[in-house]
């Protein structure tokens, strides 16, 4: 040292706050203790690969899904996909999620009512297979921070619970929360019109008392139950699925605002709803057969 | 600037660890540990004063010692350690008296650090995937420890609004695992059979024991105010935590398993674990990382530290050495003119 003094005292002491009782960790990094590949959303790529392999024949052989306008879905960056929702246990969600990943190689995060999480086994499998509960904070995180595709059904349970006599009549789009989230995250909304889901599992009757007793959002008696008995719960009819991706809606508002005009939100939401409704009618006009398209 | 720090709960696990950590910090001039019982770890230079759990003499201590920082580690986050009444006394009444003393006219206190827990967010199906510091709970408060912590944090929030000149830090720690700490989770994981709830596999986030100490020391040293989540990176499903620890999961019925008292007794299942084992909890830690804190361990790393320490204890058959506080001996080391060198334990 220049001063010729030995280095002593407080200055040379380690300032690291390491409690006395803890022995020093080995210098080399120990191996990663993780055993599974479950990520912070509860997704597991292994489970997803398995469910996709199981679902593939249902997608291409049973429903014989046909897409239109897939090029409108961006290959990178966040986007909020919205679609009409139908059928007692709606097949539109897995069809869209599987289809986009198959065609574009991008995963889709399906947002579903948090009611799913309360159901044992189902909730866990749903999360492992890529489902996320539909909270605004979750959608924002997916779209804005992780630049992912998220899929939401703005009709909520009102879509699948409607009876067959009301088929292809889009319900109210909630309170327009999906528009607000897309504005806040600064991503486009991409509407997808789906036909085929209504006929895959038509709701003939609803039993509200039973739904209440079981704590379910709705309890449907489906045509599938009459046709296949208890197996009808998991067996949709092989209706031909057709999907049309509509022109993306960009909102020219700055992202991350504290509040957005409620009237603007409701207006945009209603506009998207009527475009979807019109597209659904248009596709139905072209459909010759429920089963063969 | 000289730093004079008062540590509450110096007789408890966290208080003891914090006193030790601050003693190693050359920036701290005076460290005063306060507790209802004698400390369980040796203090090198810190003074210890015995006080009841509601801090009735804190006012006098603050005046007499002119401390500038209060490190409030004595918050119960594990309801199995005390009765619910005592927990309310310690967390709510204790914090209230502490803040009253700190906010008294002419008080020397400039910084208060409160050790809280992510329990304040609760755990419910309606929760977002990730809680930010400003995200409100989505479910009503269900159990005593959460209620006490939420109430205590409310008092701290009011205090910080009423006393803008005093810096207030609240750290919300995720579930802790580590070398020494025993919690209901660590007890469950150290047995051959470990409870789970059938059909649920929640994602949990952990923070390592030493990171808790380092985080508290970090904000104390830097006088960093604010509200922060503190948790290791990443989340693990409960099933994975169990298999890392080599314990087998026993699925309990998802329909009110905790109402069956013997089952809850058989395992360590306090009410605050009931929902956590269904829905888990995840917190955003970017705000705390932005203050310049780096973690030693991720969530998975915390689990590893825990299980390695447990394996060592099992195989060497040794518990950590116990220490008995002897008032006269400690006084001798601190104040006797005969003591010249440092007091190495």
């Amino acid at each position: 040292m220049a001063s010729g003094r030995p280095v002593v005292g407080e200055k040379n002491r380690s300032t690291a706050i390491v409690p006395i009782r803890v022995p020093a960790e080995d210098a080399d990094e120990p191996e990663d203790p993780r055993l599974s590949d479950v990520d912070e959303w509860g997704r597991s790529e292994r489970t997803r690969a398995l469910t996709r392999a199981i679902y593939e024949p249902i997608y291409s052989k049973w429903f014989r899904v046909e897409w239109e306008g897939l090029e409108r879905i961006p290959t990178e960056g966040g986007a909020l996909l919205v679609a009409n929702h139908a059928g007692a246990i709606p097949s539109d969600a897995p069809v869209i999620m599987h289809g986009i990943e198959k065609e574009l190689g991008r995963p889709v995060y399906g947002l579903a009512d948090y009611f799913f999480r309360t159901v044992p086994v189902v909730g866990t499998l749903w999360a492992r297979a890529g489902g996320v509960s539909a909270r605004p904070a979750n959608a924002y995180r997916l779209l804005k921070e992780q630049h992912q595709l998220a899929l939401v059904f703005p009709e909520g349970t009102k879509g699948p619970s409607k009876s067959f006599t009301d088929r292809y009549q889009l319900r109210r789009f909630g309170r327009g929360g999906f528009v607000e989230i897309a504005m806040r995250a600064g991503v486009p909304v991409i509407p997808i019109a789906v036909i085929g889901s209504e006929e895959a599992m038509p709701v003939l009757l609803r039993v509200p008392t039973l739904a209440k007793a079981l704590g379910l959002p709705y309890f449907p008696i489906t045509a599938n139950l009459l046709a296949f008995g208890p197996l009808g719960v998991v067996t949709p009819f092989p209706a031909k699925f057709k999907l049309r991706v509509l022109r993306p809606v960009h909102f020219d508002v700055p992202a991350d605002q504290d509040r957005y005009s409620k009237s603007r939100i409701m207006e945009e939401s209603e506009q998207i709803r009527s475009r979807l409704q019109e597209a659904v009618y248009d596709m139905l006009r072209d459909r010759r057969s429920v089963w063969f398209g | 600037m000289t730093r004079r720090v008062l540590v509450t709960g110096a007789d408890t696990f966290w208080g003891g660890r914090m006193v030790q950590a601050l003693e190693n910090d050359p920036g701290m001039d005076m460290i005063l540990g306060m507790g209802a019982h004698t400390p369980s770890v040796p203090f090198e230079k810190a003074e210890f004063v015995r006080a009841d759990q509601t801090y009735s003499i804190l006012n006098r201590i603050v005046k007499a010692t002119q401390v500038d920082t209060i490190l409030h580690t004595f918050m119960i986050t594990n309801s199995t350690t005390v009765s619910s009444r005592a927990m309310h006394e310690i967390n709510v009444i204790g914090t209230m008296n502490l803040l009253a003393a700190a906010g008294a006219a002419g008080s020397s206190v400039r910084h208060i650090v409160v050790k809280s827990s992510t329990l304040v967010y609760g755990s419910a199906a309606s929760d977002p995937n990730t809680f930010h510091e400003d995200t409100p709970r989505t479910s009503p408060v269900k159990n005593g420890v959460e209620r006490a912590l939420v109430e205590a944090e409310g008092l701290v929030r009011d205090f910080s609004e009423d006393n803008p000149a005093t810096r207030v830090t609240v750290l919300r720690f995720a579930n802790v695992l580590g070398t020494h700490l025993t919690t209901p989770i660590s007890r469950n994981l150290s047995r051959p059979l470990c409870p789970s709830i059938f059909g649920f596999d929640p994602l949990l986030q952990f923070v390592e024991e030493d990171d808790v100490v380092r985080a508290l020391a970090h904000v104390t040293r830097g006088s960093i105010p604010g509200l922060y989540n503190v948790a290791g990176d990443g989340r693990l499903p409960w099933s994975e935590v169990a298999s890392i620890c080599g314990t087998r999961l026993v699925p309990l019925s998802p329909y009110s398993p905790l109402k069956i008292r013997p089952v809850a007794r058989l395992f360590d299942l306090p009410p605050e674990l009931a929902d956590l084992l269904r829905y888990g909890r995840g917190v955003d830690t970017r705000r705390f990382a932005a203050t310049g804190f780096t973690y030693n361990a991720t969530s998975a790393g915390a689990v590893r530290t825990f299980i390695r320490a447990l394996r060592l204890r099992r195989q060497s058959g040794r518990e950590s050495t116990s220490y008995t506080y002897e008032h006269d001996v400690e006084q001798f080391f601190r104040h006797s003119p005969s003591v010249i060198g440092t007091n190495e334990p």
Side-chain angles (χ1 to χ4, degrees), chain A residues 31 34-36 121 124 138, chain B residues 125-126 129 199 235 240 279 304:
Chain A
E31 88 290 4
R34 289 298 304 260
L35 299 174
S36 79
V121 184
T124 307
N138 289 351
Chain B
S126 51
N129 177 269
R235 291 166 215 178
E240 189 182 340
Y279 304 118
R304 179 183 46 212

Side-chain angles (χ1 to χ4, degrees), chain A residues 201-213:
Chain A
M201 203 176 275
V203 178
L204 303 178
L205 198 73
R206 275 168 298 168
V207 194
T209 358
L210 216 51
K212 206 168 178 187

Side-chain angles (χ1 to χ4, degrees), chain B residues 29-323:
Chain B
D29 299 291
M30 192 276 290
I31 300 152
L32 180 61
M34 212 171 113
H37 308 282
T38 52
S40 52
V41 292
F43 296 164
E44 248 182 275
K45 54 182 189 185
E47 299 273 353
F48 178 77
V49 57
R50 197 189 283 258
D52 66 293
Q53 301 185 330
T54 52
Y55 312 120
S56 42
I57 59 160
L58 187 67
N59 214 336
R60 285 175 58 197
I61 293 176
V62 168
K63 268 197 193 118
T65 58
Q66 293 288 303
V67 291
D68 53 60
T69 304
I70 295 180
L71 181 49
H72 188 30
T73 69
F74 195 35
M75 291 274 260
I76 306 286
T77 55
N78 169 3
S79 70
T80 58
T81 51
V82 293
S83 69
S84 61
R85 178 174 289 271
M87 184 164 56
H88 180 266
E89 286 295 314
I90 293 167
N91 285 6
V92 183
I93 308 302
T95 304
M96 191 176 75
N97 288 338
L98 181 130
L99 294 173
S107 160
S108 55
V109 178
R110 291 289 157 263
H111 186 199
I112 297 177
V113 180
V114 180
K115 176 181 169 294
S116 183
S117 158
T118 55
L119 279 170
V120 297
Y121 297 117
S123 182
S126 51
D127 284 349
N129 177 269
T130 304
F131 279 103
H132 295 254
E133 282 82 354
D134 309 315
T135 317
R137 282 179 75 102
T138 64
S139 55
V141 178
K142 271 194 205 154
N143 55 63
V145 62
E146 289 181 11
R147 186 174 302 114
L149 286 170
V150 167
E151 257 186 75
E153 275 203 15
L155 294 170
V156 175
R157 201 162 36 246
D158 291 347
F159 174 86
S160 97
E161 275 170 23
D162 296 343
N163 300 274
T166 310
R167 291 167 177 233
V168 176
T169 314
V170 176
L171 298 187
R172 290 175 177 161
F173 292 98
N175 291 90
V176 186
L177 279 180
T179 316
H180 299 98
L181 183 69
T182 307
T183 65
I185 289 188
S186 77
R187 272 198 297 268
N188 282 318
L189 289 175
S190 59
R191 293 180 189 141
L193 297 176
C194 174
S196 72
I197 295 175
F198 176 78
F200 291 90
D201 196 7
L203 298 178
L204 302 179
Q205 204 163 357
F206 295 102
V207 58
E208 210 218 296
E209 197 178 292
D210 293 342
D211 279 337
V212 174
V213 175
R214 291 174 60 247
L216 285 166
H218 171 73
V219 293
T220 307
R221 190 176 26 195
S223 294
I224 301 163
L227 172 62
Y228 304 98
N229 294 329
V230 186
D233 264 350
R235 291 166 215 178
L236 296 90
W238 180 235
S239 60
E240 189 182 340
V241 177
S243 38
I244 292 176
C245 295
T247 168
R248 198 177 283 274
L249 286 182
V250 181
L252 305 177
S253 158
Y255 305 102
S256 309
L258 301 178
K259 297 216 172 95
I260 313 164
R261 293 293 288 276
V263 177
R265 287 266 174 75
L266 199 61
F267 299 109
D268 265 293
L269 280 178
E272 65 264 25
L273 266 190
D275 286 327
L276 193 72
L277 287 186
R278 274 172 202 256
Y279 304 118
R281 189 185 300 122
V283 293
D284 185 281
T285 56
R286 284 173 294 184
R287 196 193 277 184
F288 194 55
T291 67
F293 184 76
T294 48
Y295 291 88
N296 273 349
T298 60
S299 285
V303 177
R304 179 183 46 212
T305 310
F306 162 73
I307 187 60
R308 291 185 74 218
L310 180 66
R311 287 199 201 111
L312 175 65
R313 274 204 295 279
R314 272 183 191 150
Q315 293 172 53
S316 70
R318 256 190 330 160
E319 286 304 308
S320 49
T321 50
S322 63
Y323 162 82

